[in-house]
């Protein structure tokens, strides 16, 4: 898989003997598919709040983590996991209050039309299950995704994930549409997205394939973090649903208050998904993911086929999930995320006014994309420079990464636990790294 911020063999020379040894051990046991972040990979041993600590005791500000979203090792999550693990951990085939309490509390955060939840362990499994349900409901097989989408690792969803690299061959039942990129598309994104979805539906039908679902990550993270304007998905979604497709909102990235303005990313677009898939921050690092959907659709599937996921939604996982929901509510993480996201966006926009290498700045809550170009007029993607900046900022003690098909978008995704001082620390590191670039300023 191509990975814009991946360690390569060429970076090896600058590492210590001990680090090189660890890398060799990794290769020996984990094989070739695994990637490390950064030219100088991090060897982390501890996390606390917004900070990560390496083996030498140096701390790094984590501005890239959408898993330990409420804070590394948040004491309430740790305590909830430990207490439940010490009492009972079984599965969803026994009656259990904690599982049901969590399921009800989670559903309460969704619009009223979404009344069922099913638990999995990963976002990939949730998407996989959503596709099975969509196929069963529609009788179709065709799936529409964006051109550089990423939806996970099962056989089924990996086939819907062109971001995995050019070796991935799309199967005949999959159609891709252009990502709604307001910076690069050169036409209004809402109309372009809807027109592309219409074409994809027609194309599937022309090939004798009945379409089943439109599956979209509401923040288009792998497509380069495409956040605006809010509402741009409405036309395409309405069209797909009118044509009998289910709209599956992949909220693995956008969910759990990440966008600040809403608990769920799809709400920014004023759309009503049929199925919603969840993951990453759901258990703050404990493997917990799932699917939320319309009752009639989920029940229709369940009447045909039973469902059991050994670990999915077990009492310990649900205790972690409940603690995450409680922390989001009690620490007002959604409103804090919105305010801090605006502060951060304004800060990066100020940098953009001074550094022509920044071609575009976009964001929703605490998820920002900063597109770097070597020529603003021509919008020439600056991939090498993006890599350089990410690595320089890492040396300065702040963790971000890069994304997008052109590998030229800084992906900034701080923990929801960030405070104003942390956002300012991040902005200072970004500014210092930009100021050091030879052609900048
Ligand atoms: N969907 C999206 C949008 C994702 O970003 C990811 C993970 N990066 C997944 C699905 C898959 O989740 P998991 O790694 O938990 O299987």
């Amino acid at each position: 898989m191509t990975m814009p911020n991946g360690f390569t063999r060429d970076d090896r020379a600058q590492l210590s003997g001990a680090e090189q040894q660890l890398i060799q051990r990794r290769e020996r046991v984990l094989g070739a598919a695994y990637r490390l972040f950064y030219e100088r990979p991090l060897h982390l041993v501890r996390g606390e709040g917004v900070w990560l600590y390496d083996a030498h005791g140096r701390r790094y500000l984590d501005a890239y983590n959408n898993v330990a979203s409420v804070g590394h090792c948040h004491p309430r999550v740790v305590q909830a996991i430990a207490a439940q693990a010490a009492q009972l951990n079984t599965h969803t085939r026994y009656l259990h209050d904690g599982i049901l309490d969590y399921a009800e509390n989670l559903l309460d955060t969704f619009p009223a039309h979404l009344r069922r939840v099913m638990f999995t362990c990963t976002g990939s499994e949730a998407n996989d299950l959503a596709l099975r349900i969509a196929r069963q409901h529609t009788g179709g097989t065709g799936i529409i995704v964006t051109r550089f989408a990423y939806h996970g690792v099962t056989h089924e969803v990996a086939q819907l994930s062109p971001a995995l690299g050019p070796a991935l061959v799309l199967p005949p039942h999959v159609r891709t549409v252009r990502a709604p990129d307001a910076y690069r598309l050169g036409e209004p994104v809402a109309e372009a997205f809807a027109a592309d979805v219409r074409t994809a539906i027609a194309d599937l039908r022309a090939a004798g394939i009945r379409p089943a679902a439109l599956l979209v990550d509401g923040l288009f993270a792998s497509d380069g973090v495409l956040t605006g304007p809010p509402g741009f998905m409405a036309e395409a979604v309405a069209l797909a649903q009118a044509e009998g497709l289910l709209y599956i909102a992949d909220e693995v990235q956008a969910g759990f208050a990440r966008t600040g303005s809403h608990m769920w990313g799809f709400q920014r677009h004023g759309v009503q998904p049929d199925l919603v898939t969840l993951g990453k921050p759901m258990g703050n690092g404990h493997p917990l993911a799932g699917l939320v959907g319309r009752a009639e659709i989920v029940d229709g599937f369940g009447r045909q086929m039973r469902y059991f996921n050994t670990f999915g939604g077990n009492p310990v996982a649900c205790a972690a999930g409940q603690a995450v929901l409680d922390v989001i509510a009690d620490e007002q993480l959604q409103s804090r995320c919105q305010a801090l996201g605006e502060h951060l966006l304004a800060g990066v926009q100020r940098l953009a006014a001074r550094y022509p290498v920044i071609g575009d700045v976009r964001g929703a809550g605490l998820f920002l994309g900063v597109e770097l170009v070597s020529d603003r007029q021509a919008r020439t993607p600056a991939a090498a420079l993006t890599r350089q900046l990410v690595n320089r900022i890492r040396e300065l003690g702040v963790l971000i990464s890069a994304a997008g098909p052109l590998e030229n978008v800084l992906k900034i995704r701080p923990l929801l636990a960030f405070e104003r001082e942390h956002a300012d620390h991040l902005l200072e590191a970004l500014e210092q790294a930009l100021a050091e670039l030879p052609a900048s300023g």
Side-chain angles (χ1 to χ4, degrees):
M1 175 184 177
T2 54
M3 200 175 80
N5 177 29
F7 168 82
T8 68
R9 265 170 188 278
D10 303 342
D11 302 324
R12 209 168 272 235
Q14 50 182 316
L15 303 182
S16 70
E19 286 165 337
Q20 296 204 27
Q21 253 181 17
L22 278 177
I23 289 172
Q24 277 161 17
R25 271 176 69 197
R26 257 177 73 95
E27 286 174 354
R28 214 159 36 234
V29 290
L30 303 182
Y34 282 79
R35 299 288 184 278
L36 285 160
F37 276 151
Y38 304 111
E39 285 166 8
R40 288 208 307 138
L42 282 161
H43 180 184
L44 299 172
V45 294
R46 188 167 76 82
E48 186 181 343
V50 299
W51 300 102
L52 288 166
Y53 295 81
D54 74 9
H56 310 289
R58 182 174 184 201
R59 71 175 190 175
Y60 295 83
L61 181 65
D62 191 354
Y64 188 66
N65 205 311
N66 196 15
V67 177
S69 189
V70 304
H72 287 283
C73 307
H74 193 293
R76 285 181 71 179
V77 182
V78 172
Q79 170 58 24
I81 291 171
Q84 187 58 51
Q87 188 177 350
L88 173 76
N89 199 18
T90 49
H91 51 67
T92 47
R93 279 189 167 151
Y94 299 108
L95 292 170
H96 191 269
D97 287 321
I99 296 173
L100 302 180
D101 290 344
Y102 174 57
E104 286 166 358
N105 290 334
L106 180 65
L107 285 172
D108 282 347
T109 68
F110 281 88
H113 76 282
L114 299 168
R115 288 291 90 196
R116 294 287 186 274
V117 54
M118 295 174 78
F119 293 115
T120 63
C121 305
T122 67
S124 304
E125 280 182 350
N127 280 329
D128 198 281
L129 180 61
L131 293 173
R132 286 174 61 204
I133 294 174
R135 292 204 167 120
Q136 203 253 333
H137 182 79
T138 60
T141 54
I143 312 290
I144 301 169
V145 295
T146 52
R147 199 163 280 172
F148 209 66
Y150 180 74
H151 293 291
V153 295
T154 69
H155 176 67
E156 175 73 42
V157 295
Q159 290 189 322
L160 309 171
S161 299
L164 284 172
L168 183 95
V169 179
L170 285 179
H173 66 276
V174 179
R175 292 292 178 280
T176 58
V177 291
R178 293 175 300 168
D181 185 336
Y183 178 62
R184 292 197 173 268
L185 221 48
E187 48 188 302
V189 280
E191 289 85 337
F193 193 45
D196 284 6
V197 168
R198 180 181 288 113
T199 305
I201 293 172
D203 201 46
L204 281 166
R205 288 194 177 129
I209 297 163
R210 184 193 286 195
L214 170 66
L215 170 62
V216 183
D217 161 13
L219 279 171
F220 301 89
S222 54
D223 283 293
V225 190
L226 310 174
T227 55
F232 74 70
M233 280 179 56
E235 205 176 319
V237 168
L239 177 121
Q241 288 175 323
E243 291 287 336
L245 284 77
L246 297 193
Y247 159 45
I248 306 170
D250 182 332
E251 290 279 327
V252 170
Q253 293 283 356
F256 292 96
R258 171 60 54 182
T259 61
S261 57
H262 298 88
M263 182 71 168
W264 305 108
F266 64 81
Q267 294 172 310
R268 289 180 70 239
H269 288 284
V271 290
Q272 296 210 329
D274 302 292
L275 298 169
V276 183
T277 54
L278 314 173
K280 285 197 188 289
M282 192 169 179
N284 209 50
H286 195 88
L288 171 63
L291 167 153
V292 166
R294 293 183 191 271
E296 68 276 17
I297 295 175
V298 175
D299 291 348
F301 176 79
R303 277 192 286 273
Q304 298 288 324
M305 214 170 296
R306 64 186 162 78
Y307 175 77
F308 177 60
N309 186 318
T310 304
F311 302 124
N314 70 43
V316 171
C318 287
Q322 183 63 54
V324 168
L325 283 186
D326 293 343
V327 171
I328 290 174
D330 295 349
E331 298 185 12
Q332 284 141 17
L333 290 186
Q334 187 185 319
S335 56
R336 272 173 54 190
C337 166
Q338 182 168 25
L340 209 57
E342 283 166 12
H343 174 70
L344 205 52
L345 197 64
V348 182
Q349 274 158 351
R350 273 195 301 279
L351 292 176
R354 292 180 26 222
Y355 296 96
V357 70
I358 299 181
D360 190 40
V361 184
R362 48 205 184 231
L366 285 172
F367 207 134
L368 277 70
V370 182
E371 182 141 358
L372 302 181
V373 291
S374 53
D375 178 334
R376 262 197 186 170
Q377 249 20 56
R379 302 184 179 188
T380 316
L385 198 113
T386 305
R387 182 178 164 90
Q388 196 183 325
L389 268 185
V390 166
N391 281 287
R392 180 64 190 134
I393 291 167
R394 171 247 184 268
E395 295 301 332
L396 294 172
V398 177
L399 306 183
I400 62 167
S401 194
L406 305 169
E407 305 191 348
N408 70 325
V409 179
L410 296 179
K411 185 171 163 191
I412 302 178
R413 194 179 47 181
L415 304 192
L416 299 189
F418 258 45
E419 307 270 0
R420 176 73 79 112
E421 70 197 79
H422 306 124
D424 290 339
H425 184 130
L426 161 62
L427 285 169
E428 280 159 26
L430 184 56
E431 175 161 17
Q432 182 176 336
L434 283 165
E436 287 171 6
L437 293 175
S440 281

